[in-house]
Amino acid sequence: MASKPPAGDPIQDAPQVAAPKHAAAGLPAVAHSLIIARQQMGLRRSAQTLLKLNQKNGFDCPGCAWPEGDHRHKAEFCENGAKAVAEEATVRRVTPDFFADHSVADLAERSGYWLGQQGRITQPMYLPEGADHYQAIPWERAFGIIGEELKALNSPDEACFYTSGRTSNEAAFLLQLFAREFGTNNLPDCSNMCHESSGSALAETIGIGKGSVSLEDMHKADLIIVAGQNPGTNHPRMLSALEKAKAAGAKIISINPLPEAGLERFKNPQTPLGMVKGAALTDLFLQIRIGGDQALFRLLNKIVLDTPGAVDESFVAEFTHGYEEFAAAAREADWDQTLTATGLDRADIEKAGEMVLASKRTIICWAMGLTQHKHSVPTIREVVNLLLLRGNIGRPGAGVCPVRGHSNVQGDRTMGIFERPSDAFLDALDLEFSITSPRHHGYDVVRSIEALRDGDAKVFFAMGGNFVGATPDTLVTEAAMRNARLTVHVSTKLNRSHVVTGVRALILPTLGRTDKDFQAGIRQIVTVEDSMGMVHASRGNLEPASPHLLSEPAIVVRMARATLGPASLIPWEDFEKDYANIRDRIARVIPGFENFNERVADPNGFELPHAPRDERKFNTDTGKANFTAAPVEYPKLPEGRLLLQTMRSHDQYNTTIYGLDDRYRGIKNGRRIVMVNPEDAAELDLPDGSYTDLVSEWKDGVERRAPGFRIVHYPTARGCAAAYYPETNVLVPLDATADISNTPTSKSVIVRFERAERQAAVAE
Ligand SMILES: Nc1nc2c(c(=O)[nH]1)N[C@H]1C(S)=C(S)[C@@H](COP(=O)(O)OP(=O)(O)OC[C@H]3O[C@@H](n4cnc5c(=O)[nH]c(N)nc54)[C@H](O)[C@@H]3O)O[C@H]1N2
Ligand SMILES: Nc1nc2c(c(=O)[nH]1)N[C@H]1C(S)=C(S)[C@@H](COP(=O)(O)OP(=O)(O)OC[C@H]3O[C@@H](n4cnc5c(=O)[nH]c(N)nc54)[C@H](O)[C@@H]3O)O[C@H]1N2
Ligand SMILES: [Mo]
């Protein structure tokens, strides 16, 4: 199986390579974001929009889930936040004429970059069975088709309702309510591919699947460990928090196979001096092999256990369970195995151990570098073990910090977007709405694809996102999608999921964060929850991209009515009229949201309760924080293969491509590149600038191929390679998933390299 680079696409992928940078942000970041903002929005609209970003009474940045803190009065500059806003607030438009000019077959030949660059979608569009082109359709007819198809299913479980993490709390709450009244828990979401491993590991060990630190904690920490995360690109505002922590005396350890510029040095555009000189951030860089983190943290735990007086005995005795068994396993941690698994020097690990021992308040941050491996859940549990050993949970300046991706991915889960809801949640929902929610678990992302592939699911509905672009095993997933009777995408911009469709397809264009939202004459707000459990309002300030757009809550309301009819006793229309009515219900169903409407009026928002952080209470099966002692695992490579991680460039937001540069890593004008350590390249005969096919190897014996990648010699850890997603999703087998969380293992794909001619379609 091979994925072709797009053929009919005028956008050229012709990578140029320079030396990687050692600092992030600074003037080039400001300049770059202004260029993109101006291209998409023009000057006036750029100013009008960017000034409202993350302000009190403004809209929440659709960029990432990093919190704002109390300084929201002062614009915190973020290049990639500005790019995310420009992408949405663009003045370019995709109208019915566009679809008349471009058949679906034509659009299927275009790159994701080209599709996204066409602008905001202006009207609901329908692809009838057998048609070549999408055509405009009135909203009521669109909802009629959805209702028709949903009612024709043999079981509600033949439908899947996907959510991407930009969806507001209000829309998410309505969507899960509809799915449950309809009769299914098939609520896959982007979290299944993202922080599911964190949620699984944290729920089991500390009793809640969320991080335990606030922004203030970051500023109070003695030691911050950043593992498997590239904040310079993906959470740029986190660099200011790290800078502040450093200024207050914190030390930083970075654990990453790549030396990421943002973690080396940060040039704060907020301060004139910072802009020029910048602050060094990382004190110790552990250039780990992909997948070596569990072994590393196990060894650090051994160091703590072997140091007299280092364990916080009273915390362990009072608040934890399973210490003896864990301690026995960790004391056995083997240096040789650790050095093989991590590729690190013993001296560096010992240095890290000293820093851990010297710190009274430690925070560990992580993202996709820890969550997308086969053994991600045990890896994150090992992180928790280290914090528990030293009493670093529920203490100011200390704790777990899984850094979330999408700006409301955490909130969507809080609202009940989850295929495995707790009985307590469903009981509360049933009581409030007099419905009977199904209790059996639904499909996550991977199981939804399998169900579509096998004909067990027939209707696929997506509240945002780009399902076929973001999911693994592209060719398998695309074939599965084509099996559906109906695919529906609620979207702002065009993407691959609109052109790989079921027998019939609908595109439902919606308001974005930046758009004004009026319902029944009332200006609406929506709410979001950031990575640290702060909930606040978001209010768009631009004229909507088109007068035909409906908001996400309105779309769910009308879909619900078209499907459930008058038999539904839920007053759906009230929810569309004023979202405050939705928040009143959320307040009654979800703990922590009492007096929701009142509290969200505070421009700083409010904090959700977090039992381990607030009162050292752990709602686990044992009633304590659980130590765990899983066997240490790490990837083992056959001869002549490398372990490929699939990651983000600086100019993309997941499957949305802003441009073809990855500035900090020295890559320009191309995305089909693969980074390889020069010594591995010498052994495998992969000269810099030569072209290769990437072929992934998996136990099913199926050959998955991504053709035509330029080799870039790059200082990544030995045995490792790196390339961008989504182009490399074709290489990730659908059943290569993490144990327990079922997250695709997109950071550990075993690949071999086959010399290729430079692909004509890529170059010309
Ligand atoms: N501008 C921008 N912002 C974004 C996004 C975006 O695409 N663009 N996406 C958003 C989303 S949804 C998410 S989830 C986050 C993603 O944020 P990140 O997790 O930072 O994203 P990735 O690019 O996947 O980077 C993974 C990092 O982990 C490292 N890594 C890979 N494998 C390993 C390993 O085995 N061990 C260790 N220790 N490190 C490893 C990689 O070298 C890289 O630095 O960002 C969010 N913010
Ligand atoms: N190989 C590989 N695969 C990965 C990853 C990886 O690291 N490697 N990362 C995974 C991760 S962490 C994630 S989170 C997923 C991301 O998966 P998704 O969330 O499904 O993908 P996105 O690219 O973020 O979705 C972009 C689309 O969202 C729509 N959109 C944008 N704003 C709005 C809005 O306000 N409302 C609505 N309704 N639609 C909107 C636009 O149409 C846009 O085209 O990908 C995962 N896939
Ligand atoms: Mo994510």
Side-chain angles (χ1 to χ4, degrees):
M1 292 199 286
S3 78
K4 274 202 302 54
D9 200 324
I11 289 174
Q12 300 193 0
D13 192 299
Q16 294 154 348
V17 179
K21 303 269 185 294
H22 298 286
L27 256 188
V30 180
H32 191 60
S33 65
L34 290 180
I35 292 171
I36 294 211
R38 223 178 128 171
Q39 278 170 357
Q40 297 287 345
M41 308 190 273
L43 260 186
R44 258 199 65 202
R45 196 170 162 94
S46 296
Q48 191 186 0
T49 316
L50 295 179
L51 289 175
K52 276 283 180 193
L53 179 59
N54 285 340
Q55 296 305 291
K56 297 180 188 189
N57 299 319
F59 57 87
D60 180 65
C61 179
C64 74
W66 189 258
E68 310 305 333
D70 288 337
H71 52 269
R72 290 172 72 206
H73 53 280
K74 159 170 130 235
E76 189 174 18
F77 173 78
C78 168
E79 174 191 352
N80 279 346
K83 280 148 72 180
V85 168
E87 183 77 17
E88 179 175 301
T90 180
V91 292
R92 299 177 188 163
R93 296 289 176 265
V94 170
T95 61
D97 286 348
F98 171 91
F99 289 103
D101 289 346
H102 297 280
S103 68
V104 174
D106 167 5
L107 296 176
E109 292 287 304
R110 309 291 177 149
S111 67
Y113 180 30
W114 187 90
L115 291 174
Q117 288 295 305
Q118 305 312 305
R120 289 283 296 273
I121 307 165
T122 59
Q123 285 191 44
M125 301 300 301
Y126 174 46
L127 185 69
E129 181 166 1
D132 299 329
H133 290 257
Y134 273 98
Q135 45 193 255
I137 182 175
W139 277 107
E140 284 323 302
R141 177 76 189 113
F143 293 117
I145 292 169
I146 299 175
E148 229 167 74
E149 289 283 3
L150 286 176
K151 282 185 280 189
L153 296 175
N154 292 320
S155 143
D157 288 330
E158 290 182 342
C160 302
F161 299 94
Y162 174 70
T163 309
S164 165
R166 272 198 197 178
T167 299
S168 64
N169 288 332
E170 288 75 6
F173 184 78
L174 291 187
L175 183 63
Q176 63 81 32
L177 175 63
F178 164 67
R180 287 173 176 135
E181 187 182 19
F182 177 63
T184 185
N185 283 314
N186 288 345
L187 288 158
D189 68 350
C190 66
S191 214
N192 296 144
M193 301 179 268
C194 187
H195 267 292
E196 196 68 62
S197 303
S198 309
S200 300
L202 293 176
E204 183 198 342
T205 53
I206 65 166
I208 175 169
K210 299 182 184 184
S212 72
V213 302
S214 68
L215 210 48
E216 287 67 50
D217 288 320
M218 293 288 292
H219 305 148
K220 288 184 198 143
D222 298 327
L223 174 67
I224 300 175
I225 301 179
V226 183
Q229 197 200 339
N230 178 20
T233 287
N234 297 314
H235 306 92
R237 287 176 298 111
M238 179 176 169
L239 298 184
S240 328
L242 292 176
E243 184 191 34
K244 208 162 162 189
K246 278 281 307 219
K251 296 267 185 267
I252 297 175
I253 301 178
S254 308
I255 308 174
N256 202 306
L258 297 175
E260 302 285 27
L263 286 168
E264 289 181 64
R265 185 165 273 279
F266 171 48
K267 294 191 176 172
N268 192 340
Q270 240 70 46
T271 57
L273 187 66
M275 187 87 131
V276 183
K277 237 177 112 242
L281 293 182
T282 293
D283 296 282
L284 177 67
F285 172 40
L286 298 178
Q287 186 163 33
I288 198 163
R289 287 201 171 163
I290 291 174
D293 303 82
Q294 190 199 4
L296 172 65
F297 280 99
R298 178 62 59 89
L299 207 285
L300 291 174
N301 283 324
K302 174 185 168 62
I303 292 176
V304 173
L305 286 161
D306 290 349
T307 307
V311 174
D312 183 338
E313 312 260 356
S314 68
F315 177 86
V316 168
E318 193 178 346
F319 297 110
T320 71
H321 174 267
Y323 172 75
E324 291 304 335
E325 196 190 331
F326 155 72
R331 285 199 190 95
E332 296 297 304
D334 179 67
W335 270 105
D336 288 337
Q337 186 197 42
T338 309
L339 299 182
T340 309
T342 60
L344 298 170
D345 292 338
R346 183 169 177 142
D348 278 340
I349 300 180
E350 284 170 346
K351 179 90 200 26
E354 284 163 23
M355 290 168 76
V356 166
L357 292 171
S359 165
K360 273 218 125 2
R361 293 178 293 272
T362 301
I363 290 176
I364 305 182
C365 304
W366 71 90
M368 297 304 101
L370 292 204
T371 64
Q372 298 175 332
H373 304 284
K374 176 175 182 295
H375 57 309
S376 282
V377 176
T379 298
I380 296 162
R381 287 181 188 154
E382 203 62 34
V383 166
V384 173
N385 287 337
L386 179 61
L387 293 169
L388 292 179
L389 270 184
R390 307 256 307 148
N392 273 314
I393 291 197
R395 168 190 291 166
V400 279
C401 183
V403 183
R404 301 280 160 176
H406 267 301
S407 48
N408 198 38
V409 60
Q410 186 159 314
D412 291 343
R413 267 295 161 85
T414 308
M415 291 299 118
I417 300 288
F418 192 27
E419 76 282 357
R420 290 174 284 134
S422 69
D423 281 341
F425 178 85
L426 294 182
D427 289 345
L429 198 67
D430 289 0
L431 188 66
E432 175 67 21
F433 293 102
S434 306
I435 58 173
T436 310
S437 298
R439 301 288 151 148
H440 59 281
H441 290 171
Y443 300 137
D444 62 8
V445 161
V446 167
R447 293 198 177 93
S448 296
I449 298 168
E450 289 164 350
L452 288 161
R453 177 194 65 194
D454 301 340
D456 295 333
K458 299 194 174 73
V459 172
F460 178 86
F461 174 95
M463 182 54 86
N466 176 6
F467 191 82
V468 303
T471 51
D473 229 346
T474 312
L475 300 184
V476 173
T477 299
E478 293 195 351
M481 206 47 87
R482 292 198 162 99
N483 257 348
R485 292 210 35 82
L486 176 69
T487 48
V488 184
H489 287 91
V490 180
S491 309
T492 50
K493 308 276 302 265
L494 208 54
N495 65 46
R496 180 86 188 152
S497 298
H498 303 129
V499 299
V500 179
T501 68
V503 175
R504 301 203 278 172
L506 287 163
I507 303 174
L508 307 182
T510 191
L511 297 174
R513 288 271 172 85
T514 53
D515 297 312
K516 279 185 200 154
D517 184 352
F518 277 94
Q519 304 292 343
I522 306 172
R523 175 110 178 243
Q524 301 293 326
I525 57 162
V526 293
T527 61
V528 294
E529 174 185 342
D530 68 30
S531 199
M532 293 178 176
M534 291 292 298
V535 177
H536 61 84
S538 172
R539 185 185 281 102
N541 69 325
L542 294 178
E543 280 315 308
S546 139
H548 305 293
L549 305 186
L550 286 184
S551 72
E552 292 181 350
I555 289 172
V556 183
V557 163
R558 296 182 193 200
M559 168 168 76
R561 196 49 90 194
T563 308
L564 304 167
S568 171
L569 297 178
I570 295 174
W572 290 102
E573 287 74 13
D574 290 353
F575 298 149
E576 179 174 342
K577 272 186 215 133
D578 191 346
Y579 308 162
N581 297 329
I582 311 175
R583 285 186 290 275
D584 281 340
R585 301 304 190 110
I586 294 172
R588 292 219 285 267
V589 173
I590 304 178
F593 285 85
E594 298 76 16
N595 302 321
F596 192 1
N597 276 308
E598 217 170 285
R599 285 197 292 161
V600 85
D602 180 337
N604 286 316
F606 62 92
E607 191 172 54
L608 291 175
H610 188 287
R613 179 196 62 207
D614 305 337
E615 29 179 352
R616 287 195 159 171
K617 271 182 80 175
F618 301 93
N619 298 318
T620 62
D621 53 352
T622 60
K624 306 248 174 172
N626 289 319
F627 280 104
T628 47
V632 169
E633 286 179 64
Y634 60 95
K636 298 182 185 70
L637 280 175
E639 255 313 283
R641 276 46 174 181
L642 297 179
L643 200 60
L644 175 79
Q645 61 151 319
T646 63
M647 55 171 193
R648 292 151 175 82
S649 84
H650 192 61
D651 271 0
Q652 76 182 84
Y653 193 93
N654 299 337
T655 69
T656 296
I657 311 301
Y658 304 134
L660 295 178
D661 299 348
D662 192 5
R663 194 171 73 243
Y664 298 149
R665 299 195 184 108
I667 312 293
K668 275 190 96 152
N669 199 36
R671 294 181 46 85
R672 292 187 86 87
I673 59 111
V674 55
M675 300 172 184
V676 179
N677 179 294
E679 289 174 54
D680 289 322
E683 276 175 20
L684 298 173
D685 187 23
L686 302 168
D688 189 275
S690 66
Y691 275 73
T692 182
D693 286 0
L694 300 174
V695 185
S696 90
E697 295 184 352
W698 183 239
K699 60 187 179 200
D700 59 8
V702 173
E703 187 185 275
R704 294 175 175 81
R705 181 180 296 263
F709 281 69
R710 183 199 190 279
I711 298 277
V712 176
H713 288 184
Y714 200 86
T716 179
R718 285 298 304 272
C720 303
Y724 305 130
Y725 118 89
E727 289 83 349
T728 45
N729 259 338
V730 67
L731 299 172
V732 185
L734 188 59
D735 60 339
T737 60
D739 297 338
I740 304 168
S741 65
N742 210 28
T743 295
T745 56
S746 18
K747 292 289 186 285
S748 34
V749 187
I750 296 173
V751 290
R752 67 169 193 269
F753 295 76
E754 289 185 5
R755 272 291 183 98
E757 287 314 308
R758 188 169 175 188
Q759 301 273 314
V762 184
E764 267 83 45

